[in-house]
Amino acid sequence: MSAGSVLAEAIRAEHAAIFGYGPIGARLDQATVGLATAAEAAHRAVRDAVALRLTAMGTPPPAAEPVYALPFPVTDRASALRLAGTVEERCAAVWRSALAETTGADRELALGALIGCAERATRVRRAAGVTPVTVALPG
């Protein structure tokens, strides 16, 4: 798989993550809504960096879908935090796969994105009171 294909797949995962943080943030309380706000901003920054990289390669970045199916209903704080963990683990899996297919600056981008997912997932598990707080990624 080419670096362009791998990065296109990663940007699709970032689009889905950004979408997921909408319903997540809507169900969090004041103590945890900042996690969702920061995570969404981080995913937007990674998406934008990947889009720039794809454009530089001459590959049009994939557009976001109008809607993404959530893996389960988000009805309260607990389910919102569970979805946030799922979002981060799914993105981490995509970025982990990208490591094997990329080199140089593309690999640095993939590694940074993977580390970001791991850090955010740890924060989410801590906020949810889940133990262990850290797990092997991708989840």
Side-chain angles (χ1 to χ4, degrees):
M1 195 181 285
S2 72
S5 296
V6 169
L7 292 178
E9 183 63 26
I11 205 170
R12 287 183 190 96
E14 294 296 336
H15 285 316
I18 293 163
F19 178 87
Y21 273 102
I24 291 167
R27 297 294 184 180
L28 295 178
D29 56 17
Q30 286 299 106
T32 53
V33 73
L35 288 172
T37 303
E40 182 180 353
H43 284 288
R44 286 181 185 279
V46 171
R47 179 212 49 203
D48 293 348
V50 175
L52 287 172
R53 181 66 190 126
L54 285 171
T55 301
M57 297 167 115
T59 303
E65 297 295 326
V67 67
Y68 294 85
L70 299 178
F72 49 83
V74 180
T75 57
D76 57 12
R77 180 184 185 273
S79 59
L81 289 171
R82 192 174 90 192
L83 179 58
T86 300
V87 163
E88 297 304 337
E89 288 176 5
R90 286 182 177 183
C91 269
V94 172
W95 284 113
R96 170 60 184 96
S97 294
L99 287 176
E101 303 292 330
T102 54
T103 60
D106 295 335
R107 189 155 202 229
E108 288 179 29
L109 178 62
L111 181 58
L114 175 60
I115 290 168
C117 289
E119 291 172 343
R120 287 186 296 276
T122 298
R123 287 186 201 107
V124 166
R125 283 190 291 278
R126 184 175 295 122
V130 173
T131 55
V133 176
T134 59
V135 297
L137 284 178

